[in-house]
Amino acid sequence: MSKASRKHEPVARSHPQSAGVPRRFKQARALRAKLAILAMVLGGVAMAFWLVNDGIWPSRVSRETGGSSSAATFVGSETCAGCHGAEANLWRGSQHKLAMDHATDGSVRGDFNDVRFDHYGVQSRFFRKGGKFLVETDGPDGKPATFEVKYTFGIDPLQQYLIEFPDGRIQALSIAWDSRPREQGGQRWFHLYPGEPIRHDDILHWTKPNQNWNYMCAECHSTGVRKNYDAASDRFATSWSEISVGCEACHGKGSGHVAWARDRQSWWPFGKTESPDKGLGVRFDERASVGWSHDTGTGKPRRSASPPLLRKEVETCGLCHARRGQFSEDWVPGTWLSDTHRISPIDRSLFEADGQMRDVEETYNYGPFKQSKMFAGGVTCSDCHDPHSAALRLPGDGVCGQCHASETYETAAHRHHDKANPPLACASCHMPERTYMVIDQRHDHSFRIPRPDLSAKLGTPNACNDCHREESAQWAAAAVERWFGPQRKGFQNYAEAFHAAWTDRPDANKLLAPVASDPAASPFVHASALTELSAYLSALNVDLARSGLSDRDPMVRLGGLDMLEGVPADQLWPLVSPLLSDPVRGVRLRAVSLLAAVPAASQPSADRDSFERAVAEFIAAQRTNADRPEARSALGTFLAQRGLVAEAQAEYKAALRLSPQFTPAAVNLADLYRQLGRDADSEQLLRAALADFPKDADVHHALGLTLVRLNRFDEALAELRQAAELAPDQARYAYAYAIALHSAGRAGDAIAVLQASLARHPHDRDTLLALTTLSRDSRDLVAALDYAERLLRLTPNDQDLARFVQELRRLKNSGQ
């Protein structure tokens, strides 16, 4: 199990920010900009949409039923091995085969010979008794207890251990075994969170939901998993067809292929016409009859045929090698991963601005690889890795040398590190490593050219300074310029655009727009740029969203929908409603989440059936993860938008029962109470949350707003101040606190708060607008004009603001 975030993992929802984030936090600047689109842009829009396009997507019927394989069943890897012995032998030695196992003398690597391990005062003991592997450690109540290790999890470079509880929950211990040789620092117990105490009430404690195997791990470490969670009893009966990652995890249920093989024996070689699909759910034939050659002009590799849009291998590997959240258990190998999972785009919590994976939250390989020039050129996973052993096809640089000519790249003129000891490999510069789970070093699969010049400008990491830590990024950039000239021609050229968005720079919109429309950029990057543009949507760039909605790649269509977040649902209907029947389920879910608030009476009659089908799918998606507070909260918000208040309240309460630490559910429930005029209940709920989590800025802010409505202004000011101080990175909290101070007659204090916030967020429009207004009201026309001019530079097309600036200039010059 990879390191879990303190935030709950995004699950079963249509948008990564929608489930857990209170609805009142939609950005005011987005609302103001998006309202300007309305009639001019959305009126009378019609979009023709395809359901089948050159075989890229199956028809909706065949996709949902599984086509001819709808009745297929799992047969097990040993059945496959009967005919595919060579492939089975490779698989038996792979980490896929050893991804999970029963705890036995043959599978357990850790030292259970009465060994003790201490972590921040919690002493754990690993021992054996009666043939069982046992651990004595702190349980869910914080008290020492003894637990049986039921399963092993992984093997190299570490092995974790799983404990099964009576309610069917299987939990991963946070103390793991370092499987590396002793001379490499291994053969020891270690804690996955070595730098902090993890008490029993922490969401990262091994007994809590974020260490739950049934949701967090099972899908990728076993085959044919069904979670089988019963919400009524809060119990699991999780099952699998095979305990580890077997043949059918990638190839799909095998009974159809077995039936084909047995039937074939009766007529081969004469008789029936050969079945093209051989009873398989997917044929991984993307490399068939495809070769690579060296372009004599550039010396670079060239694929003999253009790659298909849908990369069956990449999507299949992505099931487990992507940062994603599952919303359906009906995944079919070789189809779009977005049909059953929400994939994380380039996001500031996961990626660097240039798309490199961060060393805090693992992104896995799918997202980085889909940004790469390799992916754009048609390289697929099995070009480099044997699909059955998962090992590299050739040792060292040999795998790169399959396509990249050694006479061009294995030279001093290219590497400039001939004296390095040990010698540098291609991966040293083009696939830098990051360490996860304390000891597991993993390569970034974006295959990028090192850019220390971007490090100097934007603070992104680079492979040069990974080794030359004593030198500056400027030093490394100068060396690269001496070797290769001043022009950097890396494939990933969007770092400044994402950095601008993440730092609220005024030119973010102008920088993101070309990225979102660049025909040479990856669809993964297109989608990410569209999502970031949500905060900058206007009548001038809405065509980018429209173009995204009609893109052939479903992740780009999702990005187009993300860009429209915050526009009133009824005004979005003409643009978004065609996607209620999109061939990819994830797109349908995102579309219906945007349109959820539109009542049936306001819907065109021709769209009502598709809307209701999408509603049912959305609810089913959340029910798939009814064991997760995020999914219950997402469903609560969706039901509240539909006007189903009692049902929404039940979902928010269920989320809090599952995880009291999931305070966004408390904030959303408090907001629901606000709509019902139950502010006293809001106060009680939020105070209870603060009793357990006194440093949660969201809860302090929500309580402050509640107390304002209850006319208890002094208490409200105290809570709003707490929120602003606890989360100085959130400009909206300082803004709300300042407005409250102004309402209390403390205009000077309000201006001081806003000025301090502006120093941290120099491009925040709300802060600048408030400072403009308050400075004008206090007759400080010099300051008001300065703030207004800065605001106008951020929104140069705002004619009302331009006229206001002119008026301020007139007043200032006239001395009024």
Side-chain angles (χ1 to χ4, degrees):
M1 177 186 292
S2 68
K3 181 176 179 179
S5 168
R6 285 198 178 277
K7 297 179 181 178
H8 289 264
E9 183 78 5
V11 298
R13 61 199 192 207
S14 59
H15 185 257
Q17 281 83 42
S18 64
V21 179
R23 286 170 285 145
R24 58 187 171 74
F25 288 163
K26 304 302 182 188
Q27 296 199 17
R29 69 181 183 190
L31 286 177
R32 287 198 301 272
K34 293 165 188 174
L35 287 172
I37 301 170
L38 307 188
M40 176 185 72
V41 178
L42 300 182
V45 175
M47 182 177 70
F49 207 86
W50 63 93
L51 292 181
V52 181
N53 187 353
D54 298 330
I56 291 170
W57 289 307
S59 70
R60 183 167 181 173
V61 173
S62 67
R63 184 190 67 250
E64 292 183 346
T65 63
S68 61
S69 62
S70 61
T73 56
F74 289 102
V75 299
S77 295
E78 291 308 313
T79 298
C80 305
C83 293
H84 303 282
E87 292 83 358
N89 286 335
L90 290 169
W91 166 75
R92 289 190 182 104
S94 72
Q95 291 207 26
H96 285 158
K97 173 63 173 70
L98 303 172
M100 182 170 170
D101 206 345
H102 298 281
T104 67
D105 288 339
S107 65
V108 173
R109 294 284 184 95
D111 186 353
F112 279 80
N113 295 311
D114 201 26
V115 175
R116 299 176 186 273
F117 178 82
D118 185 83
H119 183 72
Y120 284 92
V122 176
Q123 189 170 89
S124 301
R125 182 169 71 100
F126 296 87
F127 62 103
R128 299 184 62 170
K129 185 176 181 180
K132 296 180 180 180
F133 295 87
L134 304 171
V135 57
E136 182 182 65
T137 191
D138 59 332
D141 57 0
K143 298 178 181 178
T146 298
F147 304 92
E148 179 187 355
V149 171
K150 193 73 175 287
Y151 305 102
T152 61
F153 211 58
I155 189 167
D156 179 65
L158 69 150
Q159 185 174 70
Q160 283 188 268
Y161 300 96
L162 304 180
I163 310 296
E164 187 170 22
F165 283 79
D167 60 3
R169 280 175 170 76
I170 299 177
Q171 300 292 133
L173 280 171
S174 296
I175 304 171
W177 178 254
D178 187 337
S179 302
R180 299 173 301 168
R182 194 177 302 278
E183 56 270 21
Q184 295 179 17
Q187 301 301 297
R188 64 187 177 99
W189 293 103
F190 70 100
H191 202 284
L192 292 172
Y193 307 104
E196 55 183 321
I198 306 294
R199 306 302 183 195
H200 72 281
D201 56 353
D202 192 306
I203 62 172
L204 293 183
H205 191 262
W206 74 271
T207 61
K208 293 296 186 284
N210 276 20
Q211 307 294 352
N212 172 247
W213 166 88
N214 310 73
Y215 165 75
M216 297 290 293
C217 320
E219 182 186 31
C220 291
H221 281 255
S222 301
T223 304
V225 172
R226 290 285 162 173
K227 188 161 51 175
N228 297 327
Y229 173 73
D230 179 29
S233 62
D234 190 22
R235 298 177 65 89
F236 290 92
T238 304
S239 64
W240 58 67
S241 66
E242 196 164 342
I243 192 171
S244 62
V245 179
C247 306
E248 293 161 294
C250 302
H251 293 280
K253 298 175 182 178
S255 61
H257 182 59
V258 170
W260 167 85
R262 290 172 178 165
D263 180 60
R264 188 173 187 266
Q265 289 177 339
S266 67
W267 56 264
W268 179 259
F270 304 107
K272 299 180 182 179
T273 302
E274 182 74 276
S275 170
D277 64 9
K278 300 183 179 181
L280 293 165
V282 59
R283 295 286 304 278
F284 293 113
D285 52 7
E286 291 161 308
R287 298 176 74 241
S289 303
V290 171
W292 291 86
S293 61
H294 295 116
D295 188 305
T296 56
T298 64
K300 295 180 179 179
R302 180 173 57 190
R303 198 175 193 266
S304 60
S306 297
L309 173 68
L310 172 61
R311 313 287 182 85
K312 292 182 288 186
E313 269 191 26
V314 176
E315 295 301 295
T316 298
C317 296
L319 174 70
C320 297
H321 295 278
R323 183 65 180 248
R324 81 288 179 277
Q326 182 191 42
F327 52 75
S328 171
E329 295 181 323
D330 297 328
W331 176 76
V332 177
T335 60
W336 290 109
L337 185 56
S338 294
D339 194 55
T340 50
H341 295 75
R342 173 67 181 185
I343 303 160
S344 296
I346 296 175
D347 172 87
R348 72 190 73 189
S349 67
L350 302 173
F351 294 90
E352 302 290 347
D354 62 352
Q356 292 185 74
M357 61 187 192
R358 297 188 64 205
D359 58 1
V360 177
E361 294 290 338
E362 188 175 6
T363 64
Y364 307 97
N365 298 334
Y366 176 94
F369 182 58
K370 292 193 80 170
Q371 301 175 48
S372 72
K373 193 172 185 178
M374 296 282 214
F375 177 81
V379 174
T380 191
C381 306
S382 65
D383 281 316
C384 302
H385 296 271
D386 181 276
H388 300 102
S389 70
L392 289 174
R393 287 192 173 274
L394 292 168
D397 290 342
V399 69
C400 304
Q402 293 179 110
C403 297
H404 298 274
S406 59
E407 60 268 23
T408 301
Y409 295 100
E410 292 186 24
T411 64
H414 179 72
R415 296 192 171 186
H416 294 277
H417 284 78
D418 282 359
K419 295 181 181 180
N421 187 22
L424 293 187
C426 302
S428 302
C429 298
H430 300 292
M431 299 181 70
E433 290 180 336
R434 295 291 177 262
T435 302
Y436 303 98
M437 303 184 77
V438 184
I439 62 170
D440 196 357
Q441 293 183 318
R442 304 180 189 180
H443 287 284
D444 190 312
H445 277 62
S446 54
F447 299 99
R448 62 186 62 247
I449 294 172
R451 294 292 304 273
D453 58 311
L454 289 182
S455 302
K457 186 176 183 179
L458 306 176
T460 54
N462 70 85
C464 305
N465 290 115
D466 281 352
C467 291
H468 297 280
R469 296 180 183 273
E470 75 285 357
E471 303 290 355
S472 68
Q474 290 85 349
W475 172 89
V480 171
E481 184 171 338
R482 286 196 308 272
W483 296 336
F484 299 106
Q487 297 301 314
R488 302 279 69 80
K489 298 179 180 179
F491 182 71
Q492 295 94 350
N493 57 3
Y494 35 81
E496 189 163 4
F498 285 103
H499 183 269
W502 298 349
T503 56
D504 295 321
R505 275 173 43 183
D507 57 347
N509 177 25
K510 292 180 179 179
L511 292 171
L512 284 168
V515 175
S517 57
D518 181 2
S522 155
F524 186 88
V525 176
H526 282 169
S528 303
L530 288 170
T531 297
E532 288 292 339
L533 278 166
S534 174
Y536 307 95
L537 182 65
S538 70
L540 298 176
N541 64 12
V542 72
D543 280 344
L544 290 172
R546 184 187 292 109
S547 177
L549 297 183
S550 60
D551 195 274
R552 297 167 71 206
D553 190 300
M555 196 168 174
V556 179
R557 300 201 294 280
L558 285 162
L561 291 169
D562 288 347
M563 187 174 171
L564 298 171
E565 172 79 13
V567 177
D570 57 332
Q571 296 164 351
L572 275 180
W573 192 277
L575 192 59
V576 173
S577 60
L579 278 78
L580 294 169
S581 300
D582 191 273
V584 174
R585 177 172 15 201
V587 179
R588 300 195 296 272
L589 298 185
R590 184 67 179 118
V592 79
S593 74
L594 289 177
L595 301 176
V598 180
S602 301
Q603 299 171 9
S605 57
D607 296 334
R608 288 177 189 169
D609 286 346
S610 60
F611 178 80
E612 291 302 329
R613 284 194 299 268
V615 166
E617 283 189 304
F618 185 91
I619 293 173
Q622 313 316 311
R623 294 297 185 211
T624 295
N625 289 302
D627 57 309
R628 298 295 298 184
E630 304 93 335
R632 303 302 289 264
S633 187
L635 183 54
T637 298
F638 185 80
L639 294 171
Q641 291 175 312
R642 303 290 299 139
L644 301 172
V645 174
E647 292 87 343
Q649 177 177 297
E651 293 300 323
Y652 289 139
K653 287 184 174 180
L656 291 170
R657 283 195 301 273
L658 287 169
S659 179
Q661 294 96 336
F662 190 65
T663 54
V667 174
N668 280 343
L669 179 55
D671 191 52
L672 183 65
Y673 287 156
R674 173 192 62 78
Q675 297 175 54
L676 299 174
R678 296 170 55 183
D679 285 319
D681 290 334
S682 291
E683 179 187 4
Q684 182 179 2
L685 172 69
L686 294 169
R687 289 199 183 281
L690 285 176
D692 292 325
F693 308 103
K695 294 186 178 181
D696 192 306
D698 292 352
V699 181
H700 279 290
H701 181 75
L703 180 57
L705 297 180
T706 298
L707 293 169
V708 168
R709 292 190 294 273
L710 290 170
N711 296 318
R712 289 153 58 186
F713 298 111
D714 289 342
E715 294 176 73
L717 279 173
E719 296 298 331
L720 294 173
R721 177 181 55 79
Q722 276 278 82
E725 291 177 352
L726 287 168
D729 58 318
Q730 300 294 328
R732 64 179 180 266
Y733 290 158
Y735 172 82
Y737 177 43
I739 297 304
L741 285 169
H742 181 262
S743 299
R746 297 167 57 183
D749 291 337
I751 290 174
V753 168
L754 289 168
Q755 287 173 333
S757 180
L758 188 66
R760 299 188 189 96
H761 310 281
H763 309 301
D764 186 75
R765 293 165 174 80
D766 290 334
T767 303
L768 283 168
L769 181 60
L771 279 168
T772 299
T773 303
L774 296 185
S775 298
R776 180 203 61 186
D777 291 348
S778 64
R779 308 305 297 168
D780 187 349
L781 296 180
V782 173
L785 180 58
D786 176 60
Y787 295 131
E789 288 176 336
R790 291 168 65 177
L791 186 59
L792 185 60
R793 287 194 291 271
L794 295 176
T795 54
N797 297 305
D798 189 330
Q799 296 303 311
D800 289 337
L801 180 58
R803 285 190 288 271
F804 180 63
V805 168
Q806 290 297 329
E807 176 63 14
L808 283 175
R809 287 173 181 161
R810 186 189 65 79
L811 292 173
K812 174 178 172 289
N813 292 334
S814 65
Q816 296 182 27

